[in-house]
Each structure stands twice: as C-alpha cells, then as structure tokens.
C-alpha cells in the first residue's frame, strides 16, 4: 500500500503452502492477490531420473487467471511431488499441456529454460522453446520476462529477449524477484540462507545472492530500470487485471 500497489503475486518455488494466508491478508488490505507458483520443469521428462542430467531443472512462473487455473495449479504442484519428484518437485511439457487452461506463464528468471539457452548462445533453440510454450499456453497467455537485479548475465541477454519478443509476437513483462521487502533486509536474508544451508557468513563458497536488489521495488524504481521498454511495465498491469481468483471459505 505504501508503494501504491494495487496487486501482488505469490510465486513460491514448487509449492503453494502460503497461498491461503497470503490471499486472506491481501484481501483484508484491499490489495488484489494473484495466485501463482514458480514451478520446476524437468530437463527431459518427469520419468527421467538420471544423476548428472535430471538433478538439474528449469524455472517457470505460472499465474492463475481464474478458478480453473487455480485448480490446474494445484494439480501441477501436486503431480510435481507425487510423480515428478527428483531432488525437486518437477513437471514436464506434457503435464503442462494437459493442465494449461486458465493459466498465464512467464518465461522465468536466469534459471528459466529460455534465458539459459540464450546465455549459452543458443538463440534458435530459445526461439523453438518460446514457440513450444505458445503452443502449450496460447499466444495471449505466455510472456517473456525481463529482469535487472544488477547481474551481468541478465544484462547480457536482455537484447536477445527483446528480439525474441519481436520475432515471435510474445509480449515482454518486467519483473523483479522479491525475496525480502526492503533493500536493507538483504543482510538478514543472507543470514537466513546460511541457516537454511548450514553455512556461516564467512564461508566464501556458500550459496548467496549476487546483489541486494531482490526486494519489493516501487513503480518509480521499475520505471527507471526499464524506461527503454515501457510496454514491459504496462504488461504487469494487464496481467494483474486478467488474474481474478475467488476463494470460497464459507462452503
């Protein structure tokens, strides 16, 4: 509310544990809750479990447009555990296609399949993957994400993502990963990561975030970052307007 936000999404990795509490709190504060999940997608298929290949996975953001999408999101996250689990709860393209109704998909962060291909210089494969996602979700329900947390790899592929958008007709959307609320919380978040991974702050080889930009940025901050592609900012509101899940707690 302080930032003038009218809506906000929840996209936990592979799970939906926080959805109900999130929904209730946002509604009580007159903010539209957008229900989503950043799912893990299998490198090959959910049935493959070969060490050294299938222990890696991609990220894909899914948002529920309506209650059909919400039910499909529940189904996908459940199948990720019951049928696709290998290191992480995974889904694959076949399962996504069977449960794509009512969902909007975003291409994901640097851990997404398309950004990964672009980082490796495989533009044509990234384009084929983009077309595959269009086939699964529909032209109007797939967006190419652009992010800028001050990370070199993100800056390296932004022009390729813009080119992909121009060549495929897939719209851009500017996003910012939010792992803590305020920029000053980065240090506390770093300590929490150490607790989670059993490391200490002075361990040079531990898991850590490269920058302190993973906080809830204001519209003004996002406009400054992406002033050269204003349509990517406008599309955040378009997506938010299209996502309307109504949870019934009285039945």
């Amino acid at each position: 509310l302080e930032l003038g936000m009218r809506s906000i999404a929840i996209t936990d990795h592979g799970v939906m544990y926080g959805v109900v509490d999130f929904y209730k709190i946002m509604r009580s504060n007159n903010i539209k809750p957008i229900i989503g999940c950043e799912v893990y997608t299998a490198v090959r298929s959910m049935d493959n479990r070969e060490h050294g290949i299938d222990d890696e996975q991609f990220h894909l953001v899914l948002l529920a447009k309506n209650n059909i999408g919400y039910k499909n999101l529940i189904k996908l996250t459940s199948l990720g555990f019951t049928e696709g689990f290998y290191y992480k709860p995974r889904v694959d393209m076949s399962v996504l296609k069977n449960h794509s109704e009512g969902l909007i998909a975003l291409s994901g962060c640097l851990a997404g399949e398309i950004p990964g291909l672009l980082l490796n210089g495989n533009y044509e494969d990234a384009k084929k993957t983009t077309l595959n996602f269009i086939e699964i979700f529909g032209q109007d329900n797939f967006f190419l994400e652009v992010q800028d947390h001050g990370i070199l790899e993100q800056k390296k592929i932004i022009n390729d993502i813009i080119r992909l958008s121009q060549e495929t007709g897939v719209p851009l959307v500017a996003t910012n990963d939010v792992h803590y609320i305020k920029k000053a919380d980065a240090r506390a978040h770093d300590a929490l990561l150490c607790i989670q991974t059993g490391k200490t702050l002075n361990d040079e080889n531990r898991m850590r975030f490269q920058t302190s930009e993973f906080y809830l940025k204001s519209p003004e901050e996002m406009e400054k970052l992406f002033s050269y592609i204003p349509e990517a900012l406008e599309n955040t509101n378009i997506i938010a307007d299209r996502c309307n899940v109504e949870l019934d707690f009285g039945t």
Side-chain angles (χ1 to χ4, degrees), residues 24-165:
K24 289 179 176 178
I25 291 169
M26 292 306 114
R27 278 295 174 91
S28 68
N29 285 280
N30 295 316
I31 296 173
K32 179 196 274 193
I34 297 171
I35 307 303
C37 182
E38 188 168 6
V39 298
Y40 297 104
T41 61
V43 172
R44 297 187 291 177
S45 80
M46 290 163 61
D47 299 326
N48 295 125
R49 289 173 170 81
E50 185 177 340
H51 183 71
I53 299 175
D54 300 305
D55 42 327
E56 297 294 327
Q57 55 301 114
F58 303 118
H59 295 185
L60 181 71
V61 175
L62 301 178
L63 305 173
K65 289 194 295 182
N66 48 40
N67 282 47
I68 293 173
Y70 176 63
K71 289 179 180 178
N72 274 324
L73 204 54
I74 291 171
K75 188 70 175 177
L76 286 167
T77 52
S78 296
L79 288 171
F81 278 98
T82 59
E83 296 185 18
F85 195 94
Y86 186 65
Y87 289 85
K88 303 285 186 182
R90 309 168 306 155
V91 295
D92 60 23
M93 295 301 168
S94 175
V95 170
L96 284 171
K97 192 166 188 176
N98 290 336
H99 300 284
S100 62
E101 186 181 356
L103 293 174
I104 289 174
L106 317 183
S107 60
C109 58
L110 286 172
E113 185 173 4
I114 292 169
L117 289 167
L118 292 176
L119 277 173
N120 290 326
N122 297 330
Y123 179 84
E124 289 306 319
D125 286 341
K127 188 172 181 179
K128 287 177 185 175
T129 303
T130 301
L131 296 175
N132 286 340
F133 281 126
I134 293 173
E135 185 179 345
I136 290 171
F137 295 101
Q139 183 79 42
D140 297 332
N141 298 317
F142 183 60
F143 291 78
L144 289 164
E145 277 189 76
V146 287
Q147 296 186 337
D148 188 350
H149 302 92
I151 297 172
L152 180 62
E153 288 85 354
Q154 289 175 332
K155 296 179 185 296
K156 183 179 176 182
I157 63 172
I158 277 184
N159 285 336
D160 283 334
I161 294 175
I162 293 171
R163 178 186 166 195
L164 266 181
S165 175

